[in-house]
Amino acid sequence: MPQLCLSWLGLGPVAASPWLLLLLVGASWLLARVLAWTYTFYDNCRRLQCFPQPPKQNWFWGHQGLVTPTEEGMKTLTQLVTTYPQGFKLWLGPTFPLLILCHPDIIRPITSASAAVAPKDMIFYGFLKPWLGDGLLLSGGDKWSRHRRMLTPAFHFNILKPYMKIFNKSVNIMHDKWQRLASEGSARLDMFEHISLMTLDSLQKCVFSFESNCQEKPSEYIAAILELSAFVEKRNQQILLHTDFLYYLTPDGQRFRRACHLVHDFTDAVIQERRRTLPTQGIDDFLKNKAKSKTLDFIDVLLLSKDEDGKELSDEDIRAEADTFMFEGHDTTASGLSWVLYHLAKHPEYQEQCRQEVQELLKDREPIEIEWDDLAQLPFLTMCIKESLRLHPPVPVISRCCTQDIVLPDGRVIPKGAHSLRGRSLLGSKREHQGEVTSGFYSLLGRAQKLHRAGVRHG
């Protein structure tokens, strides 16, 4: 057997067996990978030195825990943006730098870059994947483009208009609950919690045509969605649990998995039941009848959608889009409504002007009678909503990972492989929520006088 001299390792001649050669090749490959990563890491650190950073919380954990998902964390983030108006750098652990870009001129090179250059950063978005699958939020490339074209009909005015009655009914249920709480002596209530249930109630009716009565009694499905949202945010703050293997060994990871199964089982059951009742022919007549009865929902549109080649969405795709719609639709709208109420509570003169505008529009009509076309007749309320969305957008940041160097206007360079969060204004990118926010908001103002007299205050 041939001998292999390993004197450079401090060893004498040894038998060159295939297993030893394989071990040496593997060790050499691993060493090369470690050296390449180390070189890239230190090179990126050198190039990122031009971005300022606040003092670290800890030499090892870096800035982790500096910005928590609480009111104090929001104040801290606001102060950071004030101190570093163009952007700054945070360290999540000893080896994970994260760029926070704030100023529009600094953000523009990334927003204008193609999806291939600045794709979605799946380190953070990936936590949602077991729950939301490959829906519009997480998918990319050709799949995203195809699904986006197929889902466009779901947002046609003729489909959205009948939802007004659903929004009216859900808001009235919430108002009745507030009136009851006020009469029982509750002077304060958590707006976001109540409004979240209201938006979830609305979406279950719009997406699934399902009456859960979740505003008045516990719903296992709604509780699972709220739990999943909380777990995703909590996991973001724990860098050691970013690895799936470790996360699913924890109690939170196991509860997250159980909640995913519950949500998926619910959506799958609705899809299968709807498929059984879906006609195999006469689709146009079916749609007309559904539209007349005002029961056309998101699942109907998804089941009937076809691309330019006549290919339908799979059940897995439909589930992903429905679950994505439930998550993104309820949370963003609830946040937007809550901030509008907060800002109007801080400026009672504008609140009164909004109320007068709504009351003038409705005149002798009951608030429940408001129609889609009425929304265009509320210019001052619309301005207040837009300004609130500008100040506190429900999606304040989005995450991207650069696949090549990106040069900023001031000459600084975001190196390839860097992860960045950028601020996001809802004025244009989330305009589809404005109608829902407005329609859900009109009767908050129309009936707010009763709640004011009853003593309910923002808490």
Side-chain angles (χ1 to χ4, degrees), residues 66-331:
L66 178 64
V67 181
T68 57
T70 62
E71 185 173 352
E72 284 303 314
M74 187 178 299
K75 291 178 180 178
T76 301
L77 183 58
T78 302
Q79 183 59 49
L80 286 172
V81 175
T82 302
T83 306
Y84 310 103
Q86 291 195 331
F88 53 95
K89 177 178 59 183
L90 296 179
W91 285 88
L92 304 183
T95 63
F96 193 95
L98 182 66
L99 291 178
I100 313 294
L101 306 179
C102 310
H103 195 278
D105 292 339
I106 301 297
I107 294 171
R108 191 171 293 112
I110 297 183
T111 57
S112 60
S114 67
V117 174
K120 298 173 182 177
D121 180 9
M122 294 311 293
I123 288 182
F124 295 104
Y125 287 132
F127 300 154
L128 293 163
K129 200 171 185 67
W131 171 19
L132 304 182
D134 268 333
L136 283 180
L137 177 63
L138 303 181
S139 61
D142 293 339
K143 184 170 186 177
W144 182 91
S145 300
R146 174 175 173 266
H147 283 207
R148 185 65 184 89
R149 290 193 302 272
M150 295 176 72
L151 265 61
T152 297
F155 300 97
H156 193 277
F157 289 154
N158 291 336
I159 292 178
L160 296 179
K161 285 180 181 180
Y163 291 168
M164 288 294 298
K165 292 187 180 297
I166 293 176
F167 299 152
N168 292 341
K169 181 179 178 182
S170 296
V171 170
N172 287 336
I173 292 172
M174 182 177 69
H175 280 149
D176 291 341
K177 184 168 61 172
W178 287 356
Q179 192 73 47
R180 185 172 63 252
L181 290 171
S183 65
E184 293 171 356
S186 298
R188 295 178 180 272
L189 53 88
D190 184 338
M191 286 287 185
F192 185 75
E193 177 183 336
H194 288 264
I195 295 175
S196 291
L197 288 175
M198 182 271 292
T199 57
L200 283 166
D201 188 21
S202 300
L203 279 172
Q204 273 203 299
K205 296 168 184 173
C206 297
V207 175
F208 302 116
S209 294
F210 184 80
E211 293 272 358
S212 68
N213 300 314
C214 64
Q215 295 192 75
E216 301 166 290
K217 65 179 183 180
S219 165
E220 194 176 26
Y221 172 78
I222 298 300
I225 289 182
L226 296 174
E227 190 175 41
L228 287 169
S229 302
F231 280 143
V232 168
E233 180 55 43
K234 184 178 179 181
R235 188 181 179 187
N236 265 328
Q237 305 294 320
Q238 301 171 310
I239 195 167
L240 292 180
L241 298 183
H242 285 191
T243 304
D244 287 344
F245 174 76
L246 293 177
Y247 182 65
Y248 289 117
L249 293 177
T250 66
D252 280 357
Q254 294 167 11
R255 289 173 62 191
F256 179 85
R257 181 171 279 166
R258 285 195 298 270
C260 279
H261 288 322
L262 191 153
V263 170
H264 292 167
D265 289 345
F266 174 87
T267 308
D268 287 339
V270 173
I271 293 171
Q272 294 306 316
E273 176 62 28
R274 202 64 61 81
R275 277 206 185 279
R276 284 193 288 269
T277 60
L278 201 66
T280 56
Q281 54 186 356
I283 297 297
D284 291 340
D285 292 336
F286 170 78
L287 286 175
K288 289 179 182 178
N289 291 333
K290 292 280 279 187
K292 287 179 181 178
S293 62
K294 303 188 186 306
T295 58
L296 189 67
D297 57 35
F298 193 56
I299 292 293
D300 289 326
V301 176
L302 293 176
L303 285 168
L304 297 171
S305 295
K306 294 182 181 180
D307 63 16
E308 53 272 17
D309 298 324
K311 187 177 179 181
E312 299 177 347
L313 292 170
S314 67
D315 285 357
E316 185 178 357
D317 288 335
I318 293 174
R319 184 183 74 188
E321 300 299 353
D323 289 343
T324 296
F325 200 71
M326 285 296 299
F327 165 64
E328 284 221 278
H330 97 269
D331 193 67

Side-chain angles (χ1 to χ4, degrees), residues 297-414:
D297 57 35
F298 193 56
I299 292 293
D300 289 326
V301 176
L302 293 176
L303 285 168
L304 297 171
S305 295
K306 294 182 181 180
D307 63 16
E308 53 272 17
D309 298 324
K311 187 177 179 181
E312 299 177 347
L313 292 170
S314 67
D315 285 357
E316 185 178 357
D317 288 335
I318 293 174
R319 184 183 74 188
E321 300 299 353
D323 289 343
T324 296
F325 200 71
M326 285 296 299
F327 165 64
E328 284 221 278
H330 97 269
D331 193 67
T332 53
T333 306
S335 177
L337 282 168
S338 298
W339 278 115
V340 173
L341 288 172
Y342 170 81
H343 289 300
L344 289 180
K346 297 279 285 185
H347 300 278
E349 68 278 14
Y350 298 143
Q351 180 182 157
E352 182 59 30
Q353 193 169 341
C354 287
R355 183 181 294 111
Q356 292 296 331
E357 184 178 66
V358 173
Q359 291 176 343
E360 176 64 24
L361 172 69
L362 296 177
K363 292 182 179 177
D364 298 328
R365 291 186 292 165
E366 289 294 324
I368 199 171
E369 295 177 357
I370 198 166
E371 300 291 342
W372 176 275
D373 294 335
D374 292 329
L375 301 180
Q377 309 303 315
L378 299 167
F380 188 79
L381 172 58
T382 300
M383 286 191 291
C384 289
I385 290 173
K386 286 184 175 182
E387 179 64 2
S388 178
L389 291 174
R390 185 187 70 82
L391 292 170
H392 291 99
V395 184
V397 295
I398 55 178
S399 180
R400 292 292 183 263
C401 180
C402 303
T403 60
Q404 66 183 48
D405 291 357
I406 295 181
V407 181
L408 301 180
D410 58 10
R412 290 182 294 178
V413 177
I414 301 176

